Amino acid sequence: MMDWTPILISMKTASLSIFITFFVGLIIAWGIVKIKNNSIKIVLDGILTLPIVLPPTVVGFFLLYIFGVKGPIGSFFIDFFAVKIAFSWSATVIAAVVMSLPLMYRSARGAFEQVDSNLIDAGRTLGMSEWKIFWKILFANALPGIISGGILAYARGLGEFGATAMLAGNIADQTRTLPMAVYSEVAAGNMGDAFNYVVFIVIIAFIAIFIMDYVTLRKEKQWK
C-alpha cells in the first residue's frame, strides 16, 4: 500500500514555501526595478538568480553550511532556542524557498518592467504614494506575469530534490518529500509505488502549466 505521508509533507512544504516566496519575490522584484544604478542591479540580479543555474546539491551545500549545527544561523538557533534546523521539516521549506524564489523574482520583475512607465509617472503626478503605486498600478497591470511566476515557483518547490536532500535529508515521516520518496522507492526496487508518486507529480505539474497558459491566453485576448 502506498504511503501518503510524502504527498502530505510535499503539499505542506510547497504551500508554506510559495506563501513566503510569493511576497518576498514581489518585494525583491519591486526593489530591484527601482534601483537606478545598473551595476548594482546586475550584481544583485546575479546573486538572486544563482540558485537557478547552480546544481541543486551545490545550493544545498551552502544551505547546510549556513543552517547546519555548526553554521552561523544553525548554531544560533540551537544555542538560543534549542531548535535544530538542519534535517527537520523546516529545512524542506527553506530549501524549497531558496530554489523557487528566483523563478518568482524574475517573473515578477519581468512583469513589472513591462508596465508602462507613463502610468507610474501619472500616479506620482496625482499624488499617489509609492505603496499605492505598487498595488494600484504595478501589481494590477503585472498580475498575469506574477501569477505565472507563483505557479512556476509552487511547482518548483513541490519538485525540489537536490537542496532538500542536502539540508533536510530523507527521513521517513519527517522530511521525505515526493521526489525523495520516488528516489527511495526506486532504490528499494518498489517500482509500483515509485510510479504512483511520479504520476501524482506529473499531474500537479500539468495542472500548473495549464493554469499558467490559461492566464497568459486570457491576457493576450484582453490586449487584442
Side-chain angles (χ1 to χ4, degrees):
M1 184 177 179
M2 187 178 71
D3 181 12
W4 288 84
T5 305
I7 295 177
L8 296 176
I9 292 174
S10 285
M11 297 302 291
K12 186 170 66 170
T13 298
S15 298
L16 180 56
S17 68
I18 189 54
F19 179 80
I20 297 170
T21 301
F22 184 83
F23 291 104
V24 172
L26 281 181
I27 293 170
I28 292 176
W30 184 32
I32 295 294
V33 168
K34 292 176 65 177
I35 293 176
K36 303 300 182 183
N37 189 308
N38 287 330
S39 297
I40 295 176
K41 185 180 291 189
I42 290 172
V43 171
L44 292 176
D45 182 75
I47 294 172
L48 291 166
T49 308
L50 267 180
I52 293 180
V53 296
L54 287 176
T57 49
V58 174
V59 178
F61 171 82
F62 285 117
L63 291 177
L64 188 60
Y65 182 83
I66 295 170
F67 294 99
V69 292
K70 294 183 179 179
I73 297 179
S75 60
F76 173 82
F77 271 82
I78 289 177
D79 294 340
F80 290 91
F81 303 105
V83 174
K84 182 182 177 183
I85 296 178
F87 303 104
S88 67
W89 177 73
S90 299
T92 67
V93 176
I94 293 172
V97 168
V98 171
M99 294 302 297
S100 61
L101 181 61
L103 292 173
M104 184 65 218
Y105 151 70
R106 293 197 69 86
S107 296
R109 178 185 168 184
F112 287 156
E113 289 176 338
Q114 290 178 8
V115 176
D116 189 350
S117 59
N118 291 325
L119 294 175
I120 299 174
D121 293 336
R124 292 193 177 114
T125 302
L126 293 172
M128 294 176 66
S129 66
E130 290 298 316
W131 190 242
K132 279 190 175 181
I133 289 173
F134 173 75
W135 285 111
K136 300 290 186 179
I137 298 176
L138 272 177
F139 183 83
N141 287 277
L143 188 58
I146 292 171
I147 292 175
S148 297
I151 293 169
L152 286 174
Y154 179 83
R156 183 67 185 85
L158 187 67
E160 167 49 33
F161 178 82
T164 301
M166 293 291 289
L167 183 62
N170 186 15
I171 306 171
D173 300 328
Q174 294 184 43
T175 65
R176 182 169 293 171
T177 57
L178 273 170
M180 301 300 298
V182 172
Y183 175 82
S184 298
E185 297 300 340
V186 170
N190 301 324
M191 300 302 291
D193 287 342
F195 179 79
N196 291 333
Y197 290 135
V198 168
V199 168
F200 186 86
I201 295 174
V202 170
I203 291 173
I204 295 297
F206 180 81
I207 292 173
I209 295 171
F210 178 84
I211 295 173
M212 185 175 62
D213 288 342
Y214 177 76
V215 171
T216 303
L217 288 173
R218 285 202 62 179
K219 185 61 176 178
E220 288 178 352
K221 287 183 179 179
Q222 289 177 3
W223 285 342
K224 292 178 181 179

